Amino acid sequence: MNTEKTHKITFRASFIAFSLLLLSSCTQKNAETYFESMNTFMKVRCYGAESEKANKEAQKRISELEALLSVTKPESEVYRLNHTPSFPVEVSETTANLLSFCLDMAERTDGAFNPCLYPATSLWGFTKTSFHIPSQKEIENILPLTDWKKVTVNKNYITAAPGMMFDFGAAGKGFAGDEAIKILKAHGIKSALLDLGGNIQTIGVKPDGSEWTVGIKNPFGAEPLGSLCIKDEAVITSGGYERFFTGEDGRRYIHIFDGRTALPVSNNVMSATTVGKSGVLCDALSTSLFVLGPEKAAAFWKNNPEFDYIIVTADKKIFITDGIVRRFSLLPPAQEFETCIIK
Ligand code: AMP
Ligand code: MG
């Protein structure tokens, strides 16, 4: 081949490569949306040619789910379900499927997770922020109304005992994150970070190819306790510090209830964080592990190793599963904490 011809080919090849680079940088757009939904602040950041449209549709889907699952909005489907004079009640496929998932979680956690706690959370004033300690009689009266074993889902029809009421607060945000991710992926998004009120859900890795680094909240202070590298995963935390009140008896009552007793949890757990592929599963599990406490959580994990977790207790211990320990770094506020690796 003569030199002139070689130069022409090299020039043509580099021109094509340059054009492709230009094209890909033009199409690698990003969009960031902030909005309020499900009683919290949400942020969706995604990268891709259709990022703006994808973000808008993801936000729309989250709002639709809020309109379906809200326990306080009188026009929502769950509100209608909770205020029905009699069962069965027909609901959308989405609500029926979510309830089936939650009942399955109740079964798997021996009732630590319970989607029928609305009579309890409202009795203690958590649904309207009018906190108070109920009387023993009131507590006894509502306990049978939280018996999830009395609930059946048959296609789109829900049957329960009269007076039973549902609360999807422990799984709804993770479910909304999964639904938003489905929409983003349908628009070709391969890199995204969703922060739905502190629930982190991601698609792929950062546009530069590195993993996402997320902070793990310190239940004792404002600075994060540690950081975790993730890709294509959800990181979801349940914390007793999120909503609580101090009763006239001087004790703290938190918004996470024991699904078996229908009473606010009082164990030594400060926070439970779960890491895994499914947002709805991680959300349900973060609440479940909080209720179960470190020992039962470890036993549960050994039989269900499809996720990882970090539990922080009041005596400054960090229980962390083997699967994420090498991706986790302790930050200065937690350097004196004792770390226990669960294998
Ligand atoms: P999370 O922040 O995901 O742990 O969810 C806590 C919310 O879920 C509470 O505010 C209640 O609405 C509801 N909840 C509380 N305890 C439980 C439980 N044991 N199982 C299912 N839902 C619960
Ligand atoms: Mg949860």
Side-chain angles (χ1 to χ4, degrees), residues 170-171 236 238 283-284 286-287:
I236 294 181
S238 289
D283 199 355
S286 68
T287 313

Side-chain angles (χ1 to χ4, degrees), residues 166-180:
F166 303 90
D167 175 354
F168 296 107
K173 268 192 281 160
F175 177 67
D178 289 342
E179 289 287 296

Side-chain angles (χ1 to χ4, degrees), residues 78-89:
V78 171
Y79 191 93
R80 176 171 61 82
L81 174 67
N82 282 349
H83 295 84
T84 182
S86 63
F87 291 100
V89 173

Side-chain angles (χ1 to χ4, degrees), residues 24-214:
S24 77
S25 63
C26 288
T27 52
Q28 191 55 270
K29 287 194 227 151
N30 71 68
E32 194 156 278
T33 326
Y34 297 85
F35 54 98
E36 242 185 285
S37 190
M38 300 185 157
N39 298 322
T40 189
F41 293 103
M42 301 194 164
K43 182 173 114 179
V44 177
R45 188 186 344 145
C46 75
Y47 301 84
E50 292 180 33
S51 55
E52 262 172 43
K53 194 160 179 242
N55 256 17
K56 250 187 218 149
E57 286 183 19
Q59 180 179 344
K60 190 168 147 248
R61 180 65 183 142
I62 294 172
S63 304
E64 278 168 17
L65 290 173
E66 183 192 20
L68 212 60
L69 304 175
S70 167
V71 288
T72 50
K73 292 193 168 155
E75 59 283 4
S76 87
E77 189 168 77
V78 171
Y79 191 93
R80 176 171 61 82
L81 174 67
N82 282 349
H83 295 84
T84 182
S86 63
F87 291 100
V89 173
E90 187 180 7
V91 294
S92 61
E93 201 180 337
T94 304
T95 303
N97 287 345
L98 185 59
L99 180 56
S100 295
F101 167 82
C102 289
L103 291 171
D104 186 45
M105 290 308 298
E107 186 92 51
R108 288 175 66 187
T109 60
D110 286 330
F113 187 88
N114 183 346
C116 307
L117 287 174
Y118 188 81
T121 51
S122 63
L123 177 64
W124 287 77
F126 281 97
T127 49
K128 292 202 179 107
T129 328
S130 53
F131 306 122
H132 72 282
I133 306 172
S135 70
Q136 198 54 38
K137 187 91 200 101
E138 287 173 306
I139 290 173
E140 281 164 22
N141 286 346
I142 57 106
L143 186 61
L145 299 179
T146 62
D147 183 359
W148 56 272
K149 289 185 181 157
K150 292 183 187 146
V151 181
T152 55
V153 182
N154 186 357
K155 296 201 175 99
N156 288 11
Y157 289 89
I158 294 172
T159 307
M164 287 187 77
M165 290 171 147
F166 303 90
D167 175 354
F168 296 107
K173 268 192 281 160
F175 177 67
D178 289 342
E179 289 287 296
I181 280 179
K182 266 194 224 162
I183 289 170
L184 298 181
K185 283 184 173 170
H187 283 280
I189 303 297
K190 299 210 166 39
S191 172
L193 179 76
L194 292 80
D195 179 346
L196 310 185
N199 280 8
I200 303 295
Q201 294 190 236
T202 58
I203 300 180
V205 289
K206 284 195 248 170
D208 68 5
S210 62
E211 293 188 341
W212 304 101
T213 309
V214 302

